[in-house]
Amino acid sequence: MTAHYGSRDARELEIVLEANPGLASKAGYLSAGDIVLLPVIVAPAVTGTVSLWD
């Protein structure tokens, strides 16, 4: 997934597992022909930061 999404965010793993029921039970071993859906994940909006010492 890191190669596809370019990140190691646990949120992405959770979204992929939700899109593929039963994938986690395969324990990392996929057979030829298994289909894994990689949904489009929209990055959360970036908000400004606040400093208490401004």
Side-chain angles (χ1 to χ4, degrees), residues 28-41:
Y29 297 101
L30 300 175
S31 302
D34 282 349
I35 296 173
V36 177
L37 301 175
L38 296 176
V40 174
I41 298 176

Side-chain angles (χ1 to χ4, degrees), residues 6 13-15 19 23 26-27 29 33 35 37-38 44 51:
L13 175 60
E14 183 179 333
I15 293 169
L23 182 62
K26 292 187 176 270
Y29 297 101
I35 296 173
L37 301 175
L38 296 176
S51 175

